[in-house]
């Protein structure tokens, strides 16, 4: 029974892989589940998908990695301030963070578009702006969209990462925090020397959750990047693989989908054990 369930679960993946290895004639004339015969076997879809997606993959990494790190770090610091010390208005501030988790993406798209349209980072840091950053080596005007995506995803990720870390910090020993406080340690020292080293399991959970969410996100990309080809990330470039020719190139689309999913898959493979430990240890920190 378990083997049958695993087979059903993996069937779409098997279909996608064999489709990506077939020629156009192969996937139009053979069964989707069957592997390609010698006449229909080709690696060209993977080559085409890689050539199309490689610049977009770099763009995705340029905003996904810093937004993941920033949202997790700021969420950790905010949770420390909301958990390991007491001050007036603490509950109200936490409620603001909690409400932020449930704000749907769709409700902020128009305000977000108007906000970045008002700031116009590309003009602000261009030849007629406050400082011309685009004349620096390896700095291009379309990086303004990367900065906008980084800041947007960071801001949107802080509430959920704060909730992650707050639950984790509530399980930390009060005696340990109190002993450090009696020893003269301040709030920042307690965070840097005690709380931060103990936060590694939850940082792994926050990193994987945030990176996967940001890497696969499409709504913010559509609003901020739009039709700018130089700044388009992988999720946007993947859609264009389907527009080559009059017949949908399913083999190239499948290859592109696997290439786009590869970074998130690698993250789970490399940090899967630590992710499981972090989730299992949620609320049991010591």
């Amino acid at each position: 029974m378990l083997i049958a369930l695993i087979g059903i679960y993996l069937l779409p993946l098997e279909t996608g892989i064999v489709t990506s290895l077939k020629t156009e004639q192969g996937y139009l004339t053979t069964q989707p589940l069957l592997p390609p015969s010698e006449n229909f076997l080709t690696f060209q879809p993977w080559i085409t998908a890689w050539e199309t997606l490689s610049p977009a993959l770099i763009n995705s990494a340029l905003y996904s990695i810093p937004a993941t790190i920033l949202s997790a770090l700021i969420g950790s610091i905010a949770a420390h301030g909301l958990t390991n010390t007491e001050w007036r208005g603490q509950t109200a501030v936490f409620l603001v963070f909690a409400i932020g988790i449930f704000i749907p993406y769709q409700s902020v798209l128009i305000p977000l578009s108007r906000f970045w349209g008002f700031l116009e980072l590309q003009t602000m840091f261009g030849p007629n702006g406050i400082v011309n950053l685009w004349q620096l080596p390896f700095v291009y005007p379309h990086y303004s969209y990367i900065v906008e995506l980084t800041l947007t995803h960071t801001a949107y990720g802080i509430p959920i990462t704060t909730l992650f870390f707050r639950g984790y910090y509530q399980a930390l020993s009060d005696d340990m925090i109190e002993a450090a406080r009696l020893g003269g340690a301040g709030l920042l020292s307690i965070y840097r020397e005690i709380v931060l080293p103990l936060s590694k399991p939850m940082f792994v959970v926050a990193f994987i959750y945030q990176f996967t969410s940001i890497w696969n996100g499409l709504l913010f990309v559509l609003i901020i990047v739009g039709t700018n080809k130089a700044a388009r990330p992988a999720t946007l470039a993947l859609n264009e693989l389907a527009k080559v020719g009059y017949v949908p190139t399913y083999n190239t689309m499948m290859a592109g989908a696997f290439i786009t999913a590869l970074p998130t898959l690698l993250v789970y493979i490399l940090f899967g054990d630590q992710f499981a430990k972090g989730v299992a240890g949620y609320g049991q920190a010591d």
Side-chain angles (χ1 to χ4, degrees), residues 171-206:
L172 291 176
S173 170
D174 291 336
D175 294 339
M176 181 175 56
I177 302 295
E178 189 60 27
R181 192 175 289 119
L182 291 174
L187 189 61
L188 184 59
S189 299
I190 292 174
Y191 175 77
R192 187 177 60 247
E193 297 175 9
I194 298 176
V195 176
L196 186 59
L198 294 174
S199 303
K200 183 181 176 183
M202 191 46 58
F203 265 107
V204 173
V205 173

Side-chain angles (χ1 to χ4, degrees), residues 198-248:
L198 294 174
S199 303
K200 183 181 176 183
M202 191 46 58
F203 265 107
V204 173
V205 173
F207 282 158
I208 291 180
Y209 177 86
Q210 277 296 95
F211 182 79
T212 305
S213 174
I214 295 171
W215 183 274
N216 293 325
L218 183 61
L219 281 179
F220 288 161
V221 169
L222 288 172
I223 292 299
I224 293 176
V225 176
T227 58
N228 189 294
K229 289 191 175 181
R232 63 181 180 178
T235 48
L236 208 55
L238 183 61
N239 185 48
E240 298 189 5
L241 288 176
K243 299 178 182 178
V244 180
Y246 295 99
V247 178

Side-chain angles (χ1 to χ4, degrees), residues 241-276:
L241 288 176
K243 299 178 182 178
V244 180
Y246 295 99
V247 178
T249 53
Y250 295 117
N251 51 357
T252 308
M253 290 168 60
M254 287 293 102
F258 283 112
I259 290 173
T260 304
L262 192 59
T264 54
L265 183 62
L266 285 176
V267 167
Y268 275 102
I269 291 174
L270 294 175
F271 303 104
D273 289 344
Q274 297 178 52
F275 179 79

Side-chain angles (χ1 to χ4, degrees), residues 40-207:
F40 295 141
L41 178 62
T42 178
F43 293 98
Q44 188 57 42
W46 286 82
I47 297 172
T48 303
W50 173 254
E51 290 175 347
T52 304
L53 293 175
S54 52
L57 290 170
I58 294 173
N59 287 336
S60 290
L62 284 177
Y63 70 83
S64 296
I65 294 174
T68 297
I69 295 172
L70 285 173
S71 59
L73 183 61
I74 296 173
S76 169
I77 295 172
H80 173 58
L82 290 169
T83 309
N84 297 324
T85 184
E86 294 183 0
W87 43 278
R88 182 179 297 178
Q90 191 174 25
T91 303
V93 173
F94 174 69
L95 285 176
V96 172
F97 279 98
I99 292 171
I101 298 171
F102 299 103
I103 296 177
Y105 280 48
Q106 293 82 353
S107 66
V108 302
L109 294 182
I110 293 178
L112 188 67
S113 175
R114 293 180 65 85
F115 175 75
W116 288 122
F118 173 76
L119 285 184
E120 291 187 356
L121 293 185
Q122 195 165 112
T123 303
M124 184 184 297
F125 297 108
N128 299 319
I130 54 178
V131 58
N132 186 7
L133 293 180
W134 316 136
Q135 65 178 354
L136 298 176
F138 308 110
V139 180
Y140 306 102
H142 71 268
Y143 281 3
S144 61
Y145 298 103
I146 302 298
V147 173
E148 292 174 6
L149 285 171
T150 301
L151 296 178
T152 301
H153 280 293
T154 299
Y156 213 83
I158 288 174
I160 187 65
T161 56
T162 301
L163 185 68
F164 286 166
F165 283 103
R166 186 174 183 271
Y168 189 74
Y169 292 161
Q170 282 180 324
L172 291 176
S173 170
D174 291 336
D175 294 339
M176 181 175 56
I177 302 295
E178 189 60 27
R181 192 175 289 119
L182 291 174
L187 189 61
L188 184 59
S189 299
I190 292 174
Y191 175 77
R192 187 177 60 247
E193 297 175 9
I194 298 176
V195 176
L196 186 59
L198 294 174
S199 303
K200 183 181 176 183
M202 191 46 58
F203 265 107
V204 173
V205 173
F207 282 158

